[in-house]
mmCIF file of all heavy atoms in Angstrom:
data_model
loop_
_atom_site.group_PDB
_atom_site.id
_atom_site.type_symbol
_atom_site.label_atom_id
_atom_site.label_comp_id
_atom_site.label_asym_id
_atom_site.label_seq_id
_atom_site.Cartn_x
_atom_site.Cartn_y
_atom_site.Cartn_z
ATOM 1 N N VAL C 240 20.347 -18.984 17.056
ATOM 2 C CA VAL C 240 21.349 -19.777 17.763
ATOM 3 C C VAL C 240 20.652 -20.843 18.634
ATOM 4 O O VAL C 240 21.142 -22.026 18.695
ATOM 5 C CB VAL C 240 22.182 -18.811 18.757
ATOM 6 C CG1 VAL C 240 22.998 -19.557 19.658
ATOM 7 C CG2 VAL C 240 22.995 -17.827 17.876
ATOM 8 N N MET C 241 19.550 -20.435 19.280
ATOM 9 C CA MET C 241 18.812 -21.412 20.058
ATOM 10 C C MET C 241 18.333 -22.561 19.239
ATOM 11 O O MET C 241 18.434 -23.727 19.521
ATOM 12 C CB MET C 241 17.610 -20.731 20.760
ATOM 13 C CG MET C 241 17.853 -19.840 21.895
ATOM 14 S SD MET C 241 18.774 -20.679 23.182
ATOM 15 C CE MET C 241 17.512 -21.506 24.038
ATOM 16 N N SER C 244 21.407 -24.752 17.756
ATOM 17 C CA SER C 244 21.954 -25.572 18.877
ATOM 18 C C SER C 244 20.971 -26.646 19.322
ATOM 19 O O SER C 244 21.331 -27.783 19.613
ATOM 20 C CB SER C 244 22.493 -24.739 20.009
ATOM 21 O OG SER C 244 21.468 -23.888 20.484
ATOM 22 N N LEU C 289 29.940 -31.086 21.806
ATOM 23 C CA LEU C 289 28.570 -31.246 22.434
ATOM 24 C C LEU C 289 28.437 -30.441 23.655
ATOM 25 O O LEU C 289 27.432 -29.808 23.798
ATOM 26 C CB LEU C 289 28.428 -32.828 22.734
ATOM 27 C CG LEU C 289 27.093 -33.310 23.173
ATOM 28 C CD1 LEU C 289 26.114 -33.014 21.973
ATOM 29 C CD2 LEU C 289 27.111 -34.743 23.455
ATOM 30 N N GLY C 290 29.510 -30.399 24.458
ATOM 31 C CA GLY C 290 29.478 -29.592 25.675
ATOM 32 C C GLY C 290 29.275 -28.131 25.291
ATOM 33 O O GLY C 290 28.477 -27.463 25.954
ATOM 34 N N ALA C 291 30.015 -27.743 24.239
ATOM 35 C CA ALA C 291 29.925 -26.302 23.809
ATOM 36 C C ALA C 291 28.473 -26.024 23.433
ATOM 37 O O ALA C 291 27.891 -24.940 23.774
ATOM 38 C CB ALA C 291 30.845 -26.072 22.676
ATOM 39 N N LEU C 292 27.815 -26.924 22.625
ATOM 40 C CA LEU C 292 26.420 -26.724 22.212
ATOM 41 C C LEU C 292 25.563 -26.520 23.403
ATOM 42 O O LEU C 292 24.693 -25.656 23.441
ATOM 43 C CB LEU C 292 25.910 -27.895 21.402
ATOM 44 C CG LEU C 292 26.290 -27.971 19.979
ATOM 45 C CD1 LEU C 292 25.780 -29.271 19.376
ATOM 46 C CD2 LEU C 292 25.589 -26.804 19.204
ATOM 47 N N VAL C 293 25.742 -27.369 24.407
ATOM 48 C CA VAL C 293 24.921 -27.308 25.628
ATOM 49 C C VAL C 293 25.061 -25.940 26.193
ATOM 50 O O VAL C 293 24.116 -25.268 26.601
ATOM 51 C CB VAL C 293 25.240 -28.452 26.585
ATOM 52 C CG1 VAL C 293 24.472 -28.227 27.918
ATOM 53 C CG2 VAL C 293 24.891 -29.781 25.991
ATOM 54 N N VAL C 294 26.381 -25.571 26.373
ATOM 55 C CA VAL C 294 26.600 -24.259 27.006
ATOM 56 C C VAL C 294 26.016 -23.157 26.243
ATOM 57 O O VAL C 294 25.364 -22.239 26.849
ATOM 58 C CB VAL C 294 28.190 -24.065 27.167
ATOM 59 C CG1 VAL C 294 28.477 -22.630 27.580
ATOM 60 C CG2 VAL C 294 28.717 -25.053 28.162
ATOM 61 N N VAL C 295 26.196 -23.152 24.939
ATOM 62 C CA VAL C 295 25.562 -22.105 24.110
ATOM 63 C C VAL C 295 24.063 -22.042 24.270
ATOM 64 O O VAL C 295 23.488 -21.015 24.550
ATOM 65 C CB VAL C 295 25.997 -22.271 22.609
ATOM 66 C CG1 VAL C 295 25.049 -21.456 21.711
ATOM 67 C CG2 VAL C 295 27.405 -22.014 22.362
ATOM 68 N N HIS C 296 23.457 -23.219 24.196
ATOM 69 C CA HIS C 296 22.016 -23.296 24.251
ATOM 70 C C HIS C 296 21.533 -22.765 25.694
ATOM 71 O O HIS C 296 20.543 -21.995 25.790
ATOM 72 C CB HIS C 296 21.555 -24.773 24.061
ATOM 73 C CG HIS C 296 20.116 -25.001 23.775
ATOM 74 N ND1 HIS C 296 19.631 -24.725 22.514
ATOM 75 C CD2 HIS C 296 19.086 -25.389 24.565
ATOM 76 C CE1 HIS C 296 18.304 -24.995 22.559
ATOM 77 N NE2 HIS C 296 17.955 -25.397 23.719
ATOM 78 N N PHE C 297 22.298 -23.168 26.643
ATOM 79 C CA PHE C 297 21.952 -22.840 28.061
ATOM 80 C C PHE C 297 22.151 -21.360 28.366
ATOM 81 O O PHE C 297 21.305 -20.633 28.817
ATOM 82 C CB PHE C 297 22.861 -23.672 28.912
ATOM 83 C CG PHE C 297 22.494 -23.650 30.398
ATOM 84 C CD1 PHE C 297 21.273 -24.332 30.786
ATOM 85 C CD2 PHE C 297 23.293 -23.065 31.325
ATOM 86 C CE1 PHE C 297 20.941 -24.236 32.172
ATOM 87 C CE2 PHE C 297 22.916 -22.987 32.644
ATOM 88 C CZ PHE C 297 21.761 -23.647 33.052
ATOM 89 N N VAL C 298 23.327 -20.878 27.951
ATOM 90 C CA VAL C 298 23.623 -19.414 28.196
ATOM 91 C C VAL C 298 22.698 -18.537 27.434
ATOM 92 O O VAL C 298 22.158 -17.564 27.979
ATOM 93 C CB VAL C 298 25.072 -19.121 27.874
ATOM 94 C CG1 VAL C 298 25.386 -17.662 27.851
ATOM 95 C CG2 VAL C 298 26.041 -19.915 28.802
ATOM 96 N N MET C 299 22.417 -18.844 26.167
ATOM 97 C CA MET C 299 21.571 -18.043 25.416
ATOM 98 C C MET C 299 20.165 -18.035 25.964
ATOM 99 O O MET C 299 19.499 -16.992 25.968
ATOM 100 C CB MET C 299 21.590 -18.560 23.994
ATOM 101 C CG MET C 299 21.002 -17.512 22.927
ATOM 102 S SD MET C 299 21.775 -15.929 22.988
ATOM 103 C CE MET C 299 22.845 -16.006 21.576
ATOM 104 N N ALA C 300 19.713 -19.178 26.476
ATOM 105 C CA ALA C 300 18.420 -19.233 27.102
ATOM 106 C C ALA C 300 18.380 -18.215 28.256
ATOM 107 O O ALA C 300 17.300 -17.578 28.417
ATOM 108 C CB ALA C 300 18.212 -20.671 27.621
ATOM 109 N N PHE C 301 19.370 -18.167 29.053
ATOM 110 C CA PHE C 301 19.335 -17.233 30.127
ATOM 111 C C PHE C 301 19.389 -15.771 29.660
ATOM 112 O O PHE C 301 18.671 -14.913 30.228
ATOM 113 C CB PHE C 301 20.527 -17.506 31.161
ATOM 114 C CG PHE C 301 20.095 -18.501 32.159
ATOM 115 C CD1 PHE C 301 20.334 -19.888 31.968
ATOM 116 C CD2 PHE C 301 19.429 -18.117 33.288
ATOM 117 C CE1 PHE C 301 19.917 -20.784 32.853
ATOM 118 C CE2 PHE C 301 19.030 -19.049 34.253
ATOM 119 C CZ PHE C 301 19.242 -20.402 33.991
ATOM 120 N N ILE C 302 20.191 -15.546 28.619
ATOM 121 C CA ILE C 302 20.213 -14.148 28.065
ATOM 122 C C ILE C 302 18.812 -13.713 27.604
ATOM 123 O O ILE C 302 18.313 -12.698 27.872
ATOM 124 C CB ILE C 302 21.220 -14.051 26.936
ATOM 125 C CG1 ILE C 302 22.707 -14.258 27.525
ATOM 126 C CG2 ILE C 302 21.124 -12.693 26.216
ATOM 127 C CD1 ILE C 302 23.719 -14.282 26.464
#
Side-chain angles (χ1 to χ4, degrees):
Chain C
V240 171
M241 285 304 278
S244 55
L289 192 59
L292 275 177
V293 173
V294 169
V295 165
H296 198 76
F297 190 71
V298 169
M299 197 52 105
F301 273 91
I302 294 175

